[in-house]
């Protein structure tokens, strides 16, 4: 534990990303991209081939290389583990697959209280040992570059939406129906998934990751009252327990369409709140206050435009932060597969070279 603490302090001193997570001043704005190790990279497509994503994640050597690819190519300030939010529920045998072109698909969706028995506790050293090996590999390689690794897991609500719907959904109708018609069962489901998130992220941090992100991608489908009543208690517990176990590791909370929920995402205990492109960064700052860092928030679709358009929009995002410490440049969601990697390379250079006018 002492060696890990000393490493964390050393990394904090050298990492603009970790300093920004703590709202500390940095010489340049740190940047990384959600889904930076993804289908937009030709080297990723060549290495991944046509096999199952879950099989690729279960191969530490390949997952390590995929995670490192964007760090080498783009020079980003943080690496995020190549994995998926459904890995824990897959690992405990709930019956999840990731279908190309579709996303997570559940063979037998969650329907009744009996299905809670299918959500046994995660034992990371046994169930996801391949993830821990990948983290160990990455920490050793990234230390040479002074680049921290971000651990992650799916937030309880978002994972629950896949388990209840049986796959991706535009309306989340079954999820909302269960939530409102049987709140006791729904909250029990979130509690089980909260336990999985805590166990998964904690194991990644223990293996050497320096920060973590909780992805609540689809929570923006809820009203403020629904979020406060059904989601906030479990998300709050996830952050609280992780902070108790890993005091030095900053936590990021991210969701899509969460403009009205930003203050609640912070209230869950996040050090950093990810902001999607629907809310201007200066407005997000006002809603969150000065003690919470922000991450975002260029529209990923704009990266398909010509460079002058991308540069103008990215500069606008940077300018809206007005030089306030605690800004991590990112997209408002993940990198789209059709994105030209050369645009991302230029974007990293622009962000690193940006300086606020005195």
């Amino acid at each position: 534990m002492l060696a890990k603490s000393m490493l964390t302090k050393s990394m904090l001193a050298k990492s603009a990303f970790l300093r920004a997570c703590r709202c500390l001043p940095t010489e340049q704005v740190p940047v990384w991209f959600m889904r930076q190790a993804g289908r937009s990279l030709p080297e990723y497509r060549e290495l991944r081939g046509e096999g199952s994503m879950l099989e690729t994640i279960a191969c530490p050597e390949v997952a390590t290389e995929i995670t490192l690819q964007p760090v080498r190519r783009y020079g980003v300030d943080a690496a995020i583990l190549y994995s998926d939010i459904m890995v824990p529920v897959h690992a405990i045998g709930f019956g999840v697959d990731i279908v190309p072109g579709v996303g997570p698909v559940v063979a037998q969706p969650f329907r009744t209280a009996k299905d809670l028995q299918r959500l046994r506790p995660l034992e990371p050293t046994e169930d996801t040992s391949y993830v821990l090996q990948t983290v160990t590999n990455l920490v050793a390689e990234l230390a040479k570059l002074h680049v921290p690794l971000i651990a992650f897991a799916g937030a309880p609500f978002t994972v629950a939406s896949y388990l209840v719907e049986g796959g991706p959904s535009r309306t989340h109708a079954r999820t909302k129906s269960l939530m409102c018609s049987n709140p006791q069962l729904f909250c029990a489901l979130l509690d089980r998934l909260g336990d999985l998130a805590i166990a998964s992220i904690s194991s990644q941090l223990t293996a050497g990751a320096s920060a973590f992100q909780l992805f609540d991608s689809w929570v923006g489908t809820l009203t403020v009252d629904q979020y406060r009543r059904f989601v906030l208690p479990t998300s709050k517990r996830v952050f609280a327990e992780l902070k108790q176990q890993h005091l030095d590791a900053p936590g990021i909370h991210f969701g899509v369409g969460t403009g009205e929920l930003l203050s609640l995402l912070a209230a869950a205990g996040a050090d950093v709140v990810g902001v999607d492109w629907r809310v201007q960064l200066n407005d997000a700052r006002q809603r969150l206050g000065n003690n919470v860092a922000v991450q975002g928030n260029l529209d990923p679709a704009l990266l398909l435009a010509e460079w002058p358009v991308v540069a103008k929009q990215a500069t606008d995002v940077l300018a809206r932060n007005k030089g306030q410490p605690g800004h991590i440049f990112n997209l408002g969601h993940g990198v789209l597969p059709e994105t030209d990697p050369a645009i991302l390379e230029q974007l990293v250079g622009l962000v690193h070279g940006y300086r606020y006018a005195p």
Side-chain angles (χ1 to χ4, degrees), residues 56-96:
T56 303
I57 292 168
C59 181
E61 293 77 14
V62 177
T64 298
E65 175 61 22
I66 289 174
T67 304
L68 291 170
Q69 286 175 346
V71 178
R72 298 194 194 105
R73 180 186 273 258
Y74 301 136
V76 289
D77 297 283
I80 187 163
L81 178 69
Y82 178 74
S83 189
D84 190 85
I85 65 171
M86 304 306 288
V87 165
V89 287
H90 166 73
I92 64 171
F94 195 85
V96 177

Side-chain angles (χ1 to χ4, degrees), residues 29-341:
V29 179
V31 53
W32 70 280
F33 305 113
M34 289 179 283
R35 294 185 191 154
Q36 62 187 19
R39 291 168 290 172
S40 64
L41 285 175
E43 56 264 43
Y44 166 82
R45 294 194 296 269
E46 181 179 354
L47 183 60
R48 263 273 285 126
E50 300 298 326
S52 162
M53 182 177 181
L54 290 171
E55 290 176 356
T56 303
I57 292 168
C59 181
E61 293 77 14
V62 177
T64 298
E65 175 61 22
I66 289 174
T67 304
L68 291 170
Q69 286 175 346
V71 178
R72 298 194 194 105
R73 180 186 273 258
Y74 301 136
V76 289
D77 297 283
I80 187 163
L81 178 69
Y82 178 74
S83 189
D84 190 85
I85 65 171
M86 304 306 288
V87 165
V89 287
H90 166 73
I92 64 171
F94 195 85
V96 177
D97 194 12
I98 300 176
V99 178
V102 179
V105 174
V106 181
Q108 295 181 320
F110 186 97
R111 290 288 181 266
T112 70
K114 291 183 179 179
D115 290 317
L116 289 173
Q117 299 172 12
R118 299 162 58 195
L119 290 167
R120 66 167 175 82
L122 179 74
E123 300 292 343
T125 55
E126 298 179 8
D127 299 323
T128 53
S129 59
Y130 49 89
V131 171
L132 304 186
Q133 184 60 58
T134 300
V135 172
T136 300
N137 295 348
L138 285 167
V139 170
E141 291 299 317
L142 291 168
K144 303 171 187 176
L145 305 172
H146 306 297
V147 173
L149 177 67
I150 304 171
F152 78 88
F157 175 81
T158 290
V159 177
S161 72
Y162 284 113
L163 300 189
V164 174
E165 302 290 339
S169 172
R170 292 183 179 275
T171 63
H172 300 90
R174 286 185 177 274
T175 307
K176 292 181 182 181
S177 176
L178 176 63
M179 180 179 70
C180 294
S181 62
N182 194 340
Q184 184 176 2
L185 176 59
F186 188 76
C187 290
L189 170 59
L190 292 196
D191 279 343
R192 295 287 180 96
L193 296 177
D195 291 340
L196 290 182
I198 292 166
S200 180
I201 292 176
S202 182
S203 69
Q204 295 170 51
L205 293 172
T206 299
S210 299
F212 67 92
Q213 178 158 312
L214 191 67
F215 282 89
D216 215 347
S217 303
W218 310 134
V219 77
T221 189
L222 300 180
T223 67
V224 170
D225 288 343
Q226 288 171 336
Y227 182 90
R228 185 180 289 112
R229 177 184 175 189
F230 296 108
V231 178
L232 181 59
T234 305
S235 294
K236 203 169 184 177
R237 180 171 68 86
V238 171
F239 278 98
E241 293 196 22
L242 288 172
K243 285 191 174 185
Q244 184 178 24
Q245 297 171 25
H246 305 275
L247 185 63
D248 292 331
I252 309 168
H253 208 1
F254 171 76
V256 179
T258 53
E260 297 300 319
L261 302 176
L262 288 178
S263 62
L264 290 173
L265 294 180
D271 301 289
V272 186
V273 172
V275 183
D276 80 0
W277 66 94
R278 297 171 178 86
V279 180
Q280 293 179 329
L281 202 69
N282 53 318
D283 292 334
R285 281 286 198 189
Q286 290 182 345
R287 299 177 191 184
L288 290 167
N290 296 326
N291 297 322
V292 180
V294 294
Q295 180 175 279
N297 66 333
L298 184 65
D299 185 345
L302 294 177
L303 296 182
L304 305 186
E306 297 294 326
W307 171 246
V309 175
V310 177
K312 180 180 179 181
Q313 296 297 323
T315 301
D316 180 69
V317 170
L318 290 162
R320 288 181 182 279
N321 186 58
K322 300 178 181 178
Q324 185 174 340
H327 177 211
I328 301 159
F329 190 95
N330 207 311
L331 306 181
H333 202 190
V335 175
L336 297 174
E338 56 267 43
T339 304
D340 182 355

